[in-house]
Amino acid sequence: KLLAQSGLHDLGMHTELCSDAYLDLYEAGVLTNRRCTLHRGQGMLGIALGSKRLYDWLDDNPGVIAAPLSYVNAPEVIAQLDNMVSINTILEMDLTGQVCSESIGPRQHSGSGGGFCFAYGALHSKGGRGILAFASQSKKGLPKIKPMLTPGAVVTIPRNYVDYIVTEYGVARMRGRSVKERCEQLISIAHPDDRAELRKEAQKLFYI
């Protein structure tokens, strides 16, 4: 809804998972695919999951291509899309920028999906940006930004492929930053209740 009301226009769709949100953008006149540098005029998806209204829109729609994930998620394909903006979420990350999106400690929670593929592809896209957006704490009040990943946690996205981090407290730019700069940026957008402890632990780890 925010994108539909943002004043943006001529957005393109290249997504692993197509939901009703894309239909909302299309109906608002925001999603046109006119400027796509690959398959111009057509949106790309790998999976569709949503309402009957969404499926009716996708059915026999020449403006949409459904393709295997081996193509949709291929970093070399994503990189061909100029100004690609990749948006994903995470389970947790550490103060250096390492991201876990698929396990809680050693326990597998979900698949890795296209998180790394889209992060890598967006970084190699002309004008591309990679965004990881998430709430600073879990529903149980546990921090998602931690000094170190939970022991056993899988690194889904290595820190060198992390670009922008967004929480409800702001935006942190990771690309090209030193470990010290990353720490300061991430602490500034962590939950206020967690910042003092994060700073204390970062000092113990000689990050800052």
Side-chain angles (χ1 to χ4, degrees):
K1 290 182 179 179
L2 290 175
L3 277 177
Q5 300 168 3
S6 66
L8 296 173
H9 55 85
D10 285 338
L11 297 184
M13 179 179 79
H14 187 100
T15 182
E16 178 180 24
L17 174 62
C18 180
S19 66
D20 284 75
Y22 289 97
L23 175 54
D24 293 340
L25 289 174
Y26 174 78
E27 291 180 339
V30 174
L31 178 65
T32 67
N33 299 299
R34 288 175 188 159
R35 298 187 180 183
C36 290
T37 48
L38 189 65
H39 307 294
R40 189 176 298 274
Q42 295 176 297
M44 175 73 64
L45 65 92
I47 304 168
L49 183 63
S51 65
K52 183 178 184 302
R53 176 170 152 265
L54 173 69
Y55 301 141
D56 288 342
W57 174 60
L58 294 175
D59 183 39
D60 203 25
N61 184 344
V64 178
I65 300 173
L69 291 177
S70 58
Y71 179 82
V72 176
N73 287 9
E76 64 271 20
V77 172
I78 296 167
Q80 294 179 57
L81 296 161
D82 290 353
N83 301 305
M84 176 66 185
V85 179
S86 165
I87 303 176
N88 283 285
T89 190
I90 72 167
L91 290 176
E92 63 177 50
M93 69 181 303
D94 71 17
L95 284 174
T96 72
Q98 292 188 113
V99 171
C100 173
S101 300
E102 58 191 282
S103 73
I104 300 174
R107 182 166 61 87
Q108 197 72 27
H109 177 74
S110 66
S112 56
F116 172 74
C117 297
F118 276 84
Y120 185 96
L123 281 184
H124 289 81
S125 157
K126 181 180 178 181
R129 283 87 73 201
I131 298 172
L132 297 173
F134 55 95
S136 61
Q137 291 186 336
S138 69
K139 292 180 180 179
K140 295 181 179 180
L142 299 174
K144 292 189 178 181
I145 298 175
K146 301 181 177 183
M148 301 179 71
L149 294 178
T150 302
V154 175
V155 177
T156 309
I157 305 176
R159 65 189 189 183
N160 291 332
Y161 296 101
V162 175
D163 196 0
Y164 288 95
I165 305 297
V166 179
T167 73
E168 68 271 37
Y169 297 104
V171 180
R173 180 74 188 273
M174 298 286 103
R175 193 192 301 195
R177 303 274 179 149
S178 67
V179 169
K180 180 179 179 180
E181 290 170 333
R182 288 164 179 256
C183 284
E184 296 289 1
Q185 288 277 308
L186 290 172
I187 290 171
S188 74
I189 65 167
H191 193 282
D193 293 346
D194 301 324
R195 293 176 191 173
E197 183 65 19
L198 284 172
R199 183 167 295 280
K200 177 181 176 182
E201 292 300 314
Q203 290 170 342
K204 286 183 181 179
L205 293 165
F206 302 103
Y207 288 163
I208 57 176

